[in-house]
Amino acid sequence: MWKAQQFAFVVDRGRGALQVLSVRSGVSLLKTIHLGPLKDQPAMFVDESRAVLWVRGDAQLMRFDLPSLQGSGRWPLPADAQGASLEVSPSGAVTLYAAGKSFVIESRFVAELTPALAPS
């Protein structure tokens, strides 16, 4: 949910799509964004202070600018990071947590932290 604009984000795994809904006065579909095949439940985080939506799909981490919903970054995920939970710190740093491992975004890929940091 993006409270400032009263947008809700819903993933349709069967279609591999992210649906953006306006919930301001009723519910209406604003946009559908193709994410690709999805077997697992994706993770999402709305970073309102930076106007960014983060979505972790099965094999990639995606960033969308708000309110345009234009894709502004994609990072392939290593196998160990697939299905990871997603956390964004107050500084805007993104960390993924899965199976006792932590992963952070580097410029072009998602890298494992060693040693792994536990979520706070």
Side-chain angles (χ1 to χ4, degrees), residues 23-51:
V23 294
R24 183 165 294 169
S25 56
V27 177
S28 61
L29 179 64
L30 297 174
K31 187 171 187 171
T32 299
I33 300 169
H34 180 70
L35 299 176
L38 294 171
K39 289 186 270 179
D40 295 327
Q41 181 65 35
M44 289 186 279
F45 186 89
V46 177
D47 186 345
E48 289 196 46
S49 64
R50 289 171 188 76

Side-chain angles (χ1 to χ4, degrees), residues 6-12 15 17-34 69:
Q6 298 180 2
F7 287 3
F9 304 98
V10 179
V11 173
D12 180 341
R15 291 179 45 205
L18 173 68
Q19 295 178 330
V20 183
L21 307 171
S22 172
V23 294
R24 183 165 294 169
S25 56
V27 177
S28 61
L29 179 64
L30 297 174
K31 187 171 187 171
T32 299
I33 300 169
H34 180 70
L69 298 165

